[in-house]
Amino acid sequence: MKKHPPIFSDFPQLAHGGDYNPDQWMHRYPEVLEEDLRLMDKANCNTFSVGIFAWMDYEPKEGEFHFDWMRKILDNLHRQGAQVVLATPSGSKPAWLSKAYPEVCRVNDQGLRAHHHNRHNHCMTSPVYRKKVAILNQKLAEKFGGHPAVKMWHISNEYSGECHCDLCHRAFQDWLKARYRTLDELNHAWWSYFWSHRIGDWSEIDPRDKSVDGMCLDWRRFVSDQTLDFMKAEIAALRAGGASQPATTNMMGFFHGLDYWRFAEVVDVISDDAYPQWKNTEEDLNMASLLGCVHDMHRSMKNGKPWMLIESCPDAPQWHKTPRLKRPGVYRNEMLQAVAHGADAVMYFQWRKGRGGMEKFHGAVVDHEGSENTRVFKQVAELGSTLHKLAPVVGTSTHSDVAILMDWEVRWALETSQGPLKIEGENIYLTPVLKAHRGFWEKGISTDVLESLSDFSGYRMIIAPQLYLLKPGVAERLRQYVEDGGTLVLTYLSGVVNESNLCFRNGFPGGGLRELCGVWAEEIDHLYEEDSQEISSLPNNKLNLQGTWKTGRTCERIHAEGAEVLATFEHDFYAGSPALTRNQVGKGSVYYLAAKMDETFWSDFTQALIKETKIPRLLKSEPPKGVHIRNRCDEEKEYIFIQNFNNHPVEIDLEDLSALCMESGDVVKGTVSLEGWHTRILCQDL
Ligand code: GLA
Ligand code: ZN
């Protein structure tokens, strides 16, 4: 596999560091900045995101700009050999701006304009805000675009949220005009004949009407698009100021408000913020596999290009419900898991705890105590030295035979529709995606995580849990994929609505999937907790699947229309009706699973699918429970990450593998033992 260039072109190391806020210290404690430089070396940190919340220091009064202070910081970091990710400070606006131009503050859905407070809360439409940000960004680019320390731009911070001001509502109306052109088209798409909600004039459109679910879906698209448009304007201002470094923005995992696939198309490098909560119990396996799924998506967003874990916490974030300290080994595993899944940067929020403010108790590399003698500091320094030894991993990536679909618009459509999924307390879309992912994760099989618009070619298997909404062309592309020999797994609630959230007619799964699956899903059943339903495999089924499994609380009553039945329901009036089917289409096959299932089923099902499709695995045998195995490769070498997420030690049979330990340099073969919460990284020639 061809190596990608390093994320900072002339720095072939894993980036290690974090958010650095000298602007909190320089006014009254300039000596701390000197001390920071000493400590950065000791912590083996080499990369810093700076200036994220520094607007007030750049422009304390409207039109009065100060950049010298940042130049000094950048000069010092450069002397130190550090790489800088310089931020645009649009995430937090100065009070003078809100005072002079109230339109920059958001309006809530009750029509109330927010006062100046907090951060991440400006209107994305406001021409004033856009102009002020553009002026500052352009100046930053002019001043620092040529600074040797500045290797990347950090665009704003964790974009999020929505605004209901007149400007935003009018922009929504214009966005809809561009999408539908005529009111007739819009009314049809929104089915606004219902309850007499037909729109007679564009100005009547008010996105706060939650009863028009087609509009709710479009509003989410608009909010995401408008935020993206804001980000593009920020980047354009940097380019206008002559900056040529790559741009990134910090995403927040599966944050539901923004379709990050669209953001991925615009930024040069993918970055993510992750703050998992660990308990040192078996529940951590859910967390580890969830993180694995998020990381897989970030690697997949740019076809395997290494990404940055740009924020994480070396200790406990103060905002966790229970800010439990990370037990020994937990932090190291968390960071190395990102690297195992393709990250070339491990960075923290925050370098140093501030004396005041909401985040003064948020975990940091440097504690209030201020020295290098804390447990956390020592751990960071130790990891830094490990990351240094892992430099050969930079630019390597992973080949996945399996892809799982996680599509924001599908999720939004499910969330904005009343029904068809009614189970409270569950994340109705992510839960099944994560269950499907986990089946592969625990077997050490790499998965890419895609959206429904991604390129499907090259995968042996695609799993699309609850593909409720079909974007135009998706059904056709899935058919092509299967005809060409792919294996596709669809579940209950596939092809229910089109891109406007309008139900397909002529039977579910609709939009062409009924023929592809060879199945008609006639009815969907929601069970009470005390109801029970099970599915059992049929003897001698093609997948060789054997067992009886309890279903979750959603089941479909389906009919096979050409598909072969592999398993059937056990109880109630639909006992004996198909629960799992397989349809041969061209050179490939389509499985349809008619019920929500738990981890046990997904584990057995994926096992059978892996056998059937002959997907190769790193080790022939399944790793012990709680142990995850991943690889990253280039054309000559393979780097194998073995991670134990259990509290107890495990033994792993490496079979015929003989590799070098990246840390000790020893040859490792046969059976290796791994302490609880420990990671080993091995390297072998290909
Ligand atoms: C987010 C923000 C940071 C900081 C951390 C705290 O990720 O981007 O500025 O507030 O949360 O966990
Ligand atoms: Zn607004």
Side-chain angles (χ1 to χ4, degrees):
M1 183 171 269
K2 223 173 150 272
K3 240 188 187 182
H4 295 263
I7 43 179
F8 308 128
S9 50
D10 54 351
F11 188 69
Q13 291 287 327
L14 292 170
H16 183 222
D19 279 20
Y20 178 40
N21 301 309
D23 33 318
Q24 289 182 23
W25 297 91
M26 65 187 185
H27 299 279
R28 303 283 289 265
Y29 307 84
E31 70 286 358
V32 168
L33 272 51
E34 282 302 306
E35 178 65 356
D36 279 334
L37 297 173
R38 184 185 76 84
L39 290 171
M40 283 169 180
D41 250 2
K42 290 222 170 293
N44 295 318
C45 283
N46 54 35
T47 303
F48 295 93
S49 305
V50 270
I52 301 177
F53 300 109
W55 193 333
M56 194 54 192
D57 282 303
Y58 290 132
E59 193 182 6
K61 288 195 191 117
E62 186 171 6
E64 180 192 311
F65 294 97
H66 299 266
F67 295 106
D68 286 349
W69 67 273
M70 180 54 91
R71 182 173 306 283
K72 275 184 212 137
I73 307 271
L74 295 177
D75 288 349
N76 286 339
L77 288 170
H78 185 55
R79 256 195 301 280
Q80 183 95 351
Q83 317 298 303
V84 170
V85 183
L86 185 58
T88 66
S90 62
S92 195
K93 52 191 162 19
W96 59 256
L97 185 63
S98 307
K99 192 168 165 220
Y101 309 99
E103 71 165 56
V104 304
C105 295
R106 279 183 197 164
V107 171
N108 72 10
D109 64 358
Q110 298 301 304
L112 279 179
R113 191 173 296 278
H115 51 93
H116 178 81
H117 69 152
N118 223 304
R119 61 168 181 174
H120 300 167
N121 55 8
H122 59 86
C123 169
M124 297 287 171
T125 307
S126 158
V128 170
Y129 202 70
R130 285 180 174 227
K131 187 167 151 224
K132 293 291 176 193
V133 167
I135 291 172
L136 186 49
N137 285 9
Q138 184 164 340
K139 283 187 188 295
L140 281 172
E142 286 162 5
K143 299 280 171 198
F144 304 127
H147 196 287
V150 177
K151 296 295 173 61
M152 190 177 289
W153 292 92
H154 184 296
I155 311 300
S156 200
N157 194 61
E158 293 192 340
Y159 285 120
S160 64
E162 62 182 49
C163 170
H164 287 281
C165 74
D166 290 347
L167 294 167
C168 284
H169 282 192
R170 273 208 299 279
F172 180 45
Q173 289 156 8
D174 290 344
W175 184 92
L176 291 166
K177 275 183 206 159
R179 185 176 173 92
Y180 295 108
R181 282 198 276 283
T182 66
L183 281 176
D184 196 42
E185 278 305 303
L186 172 130
N187 281 316
H188 175 248
W190 288 359
W191 206 252
S192 49
Y193 324 114
F194 175 72
W195 285 351
S196 206
H197 280 312
R198 199 140 51 87
I199 304 286
D201 188 275
W202 296 96
S203 64
E204 293 162 12
I205 295 168
D206 183 337
R208 292 170 294 190
D209 184 352
K210 299 282 182 293
S211 69
V212 185
D213 59 351
M215 176 166 66
C216 293
L217 176 58
D218 274 340
W219 172 249
R220 293 213 183 181
R221 287 186 177 120
F222 165 77
V223 169
S224 186
D225 264 17
Q226 192 72 344
T227 309
L228 178 63
D229 191 61
F230 186 92
M231 183 179 84
K232 285 184 186 165
E234 284 216 47
I235 298 174
L238 292 175
R239 301 296 176 227
S244 58
Q245 296 91 338
T248 192
T249 194
N250 47 345
M251 301 182 180
M252 297 178 276
F254 289 149
F255 172 67
H256 84 131
L258 301 174
D259 184 348
Y260 281 144
W261 284 96
R262 306 286 75 80
F263 285 70
E265 289 163 353
V266 177
V267 295
D268 302 296
V269 176
I270 302 294
S271 295
D272 189 42
D273 297 351
Y275 293 96
Q277 171 105 48
W278 304 102
K279 291 186 165 173
N280 289 80
T281 65
E282 246 191 70
E283 268 183 56
D284 288 340
L285 301 188
N286 294 333
M287 184 50 82
S289 61
L290 180 149
L291 269 182
C293 187
V294 175
H295 294 343
D296 284 346
M297 177 179 75
H298 289 122
R299 190 193 57 252
S300 309
M301 278 180 153
K302 284 202 177 283
N303 299 318
K305 179 174 171 173
W307 55 280
M308 301 172 79
L309 178 65
I310 206 162
E311 274 187 41
S312 58
C313 189
D315 195 7
Q318 93 294 7
W319 54 264
H320 271 181
K321 261 200 189 131
T322 306
R324 181 179 193 263
L325 296 180
K326 285 181 185 165
R327 271 35 191 176
V330 169
Y331 147 78
R332 184 175 187 273
N333 260 25
E334 182 187 320
M335 303 304 144
L336 289 173
Q337 189 188 6
V339 180
H341 286 252
D344 271 4
V346 170
M347 297 170 67
Y348 315 109
F349 182 88
Q350 50 191 341
W351 164 251
R352 179 188 278 277
K353 288 180 186 171
R355 285 196 67 190
M358 280 177 66
E359 294 180 331
K360 64 177 181 281
F361 295 121
H362 191 291
V365 181
V366 184
D367 181 60
H368 295 291
E369 191 266 346
S371 80
E372 62 270 47
N373 301 324
T374 62
R375 181 184 68 93
V376 171
F377 189 100
K378 287 184 200 157
Q379 283 187 4
V380 169
E382 230 170 81
L383 182 73
S385 100
T386 299
L387 293 175
H388 193 74
K389 292 184 191 146
L390 295 185
V393 168
V394 168
T396 59
S397 196
T398 307
H399 169 77
S400 304
D401 287 308
V402 181
I404 311 232
L405 301 198
M406 199 306 269
D407 195 293
W408 259 269
E409 293 202 7
V410 176
R411 182 182 185 188
W412 291 340
L414 272 168
E415 287 171 359
T416 53
S417 301
Q418 193 172 97
L421 270 188
K422 303 283 301 179
I423 311 297
E424 279 175 21
E426 263 189 35
N427 193 323
I428 54 177
Y429 182 57
L430 285 186
T431 304
V433 169
L434 292 172
K435 294 227 160 93
H437 180 270
R438 175 141 180 199
F440 295 93
W441 181 83
E442 64 190 18
K443 293 178 182 61
I445 290 184
S446 177
T447 43
D448 281 358
V449 175
L450 308 179
E451 63 160 347
S452 63
L453 297 180
S454 306
D455 182 0
F456 301 146
S457 56
Y459 294 99
R460 289 198 195 196
M461 196 187 320
I462 291 179
I463 313 213
Q466 295 181 188
L467 192 60
Y468 169 74
L469 172 145
L470 286 183
K471 292 178 187 168
V474 170
E476 294 75 7
R477 288 174 45 246
L478 287 173
R479 169 172 281 278
Q480 191 63 53
Y481 164 76
V482 177
E483 279 176 357
D484 293 346
T487 297
L488 172 66
V489 179
L490 293 174
T491 72
Y492 60 96
L493 276 180
S494 291
V496 179
V497 298
N498 72 359
E499 75 278 12
S500 302
N501 222 348
L502 290 180
C503 292
F504 285 112
R505 300 164 76 201
N506 305 318
F508 302 137
L513 294 185
R514 181 170 175 175
E515 299 72 23
L516 184 65
C517 298
V519 152
W520 169 36
E522 186 186 350
E523 293 180 291
I524 186 154
D525 193 15
H526 301 288
L527 308 183
Y528 287 104
E529 220 155 0
E530 55 273 26
D531 285 331
S532 74
Q533 182 58 282
E534 286 175 311
I535 68 174
S536 292
S537 56
L538 292 183
N540 308 319
N541 65 76
K542 274 259 172 61
L543 252 193
N544 245 325
L545 190 65
Q546 278 169 37
T548 295
W549 304 266
K550 197 173 163 0
T551 71
R553 292 172 59 191
T554 307
C555 302
E556 273 183 349
R557 213 173 64 77
I558 68 168
H559 307 273
E561 295 179 331
E564 215 176 307
V565 180
L566 309 180
T568 53
F569 286 102
E570 282 287 333
H571 308 296
D572 221 320
F573 72 101
Y574 49 102
S577 80
L580 178 67
T581 60
R582 175 181 187 272
N583 200 28
Q584 182 78 36
V585 179
K587 289 190 236 149
S589 47
V590 186
Y591 292 87
Y592 190 92
L593 173 64
K596 185 172 244 178
M597 302 302 294
D598 69 7
E599 285 85 2
T600 327
F601 172 82
W602 275 104
S603 180
D604 295 346
F605 184 37
T606 41
Q607 181 69 31
L609 288 168
I610 290 163
K611 256 200 166 161
E612 170 74 11
T613 53
K614 302 190 178 61
I615 286 176
R617 38 205 306 174
L618 268 163
L619 295 177
K620 279 180 230 94
S621 56
E622 184 154 342
K625 187 166 187 198
V627 173
H628 186 56
I629 304 189
R630 270 292 161 124
N631 71 350
R632 291 181 63 167
C633 306
D634 56 23
E635 279 158 329
E636 288 150 22
K637 303 234 185 248
E638 177 176 35
Y639 303 94
I640 302 163
F641 293 73
I642 310 177
Q643 301 204 278
N644 182 7
F645 291 96
N646 298 297
N647 280 331
H648 52 83
V650 290
E651 304 243 297
I652 298 140
D653 178 6
L654 291 181
E655 299 166 2
D656 41 13
L657 207 117
S658 166
L660 284 187
C661 171
M662 295 282 287
E663 287 182 273
S664 67
D666 298 342
V667 176
V668 185
K669 54 182 174 188
T671 301
V672 291
S673 54
L674 213 59
E675 294 154 42
W677 286 95
H678 197 71
T679 299
R680 287 195 80 172
I681 306 118
L682 311 177
C683 165
Q684 67 167 351
D685 291 334
L686 282 176

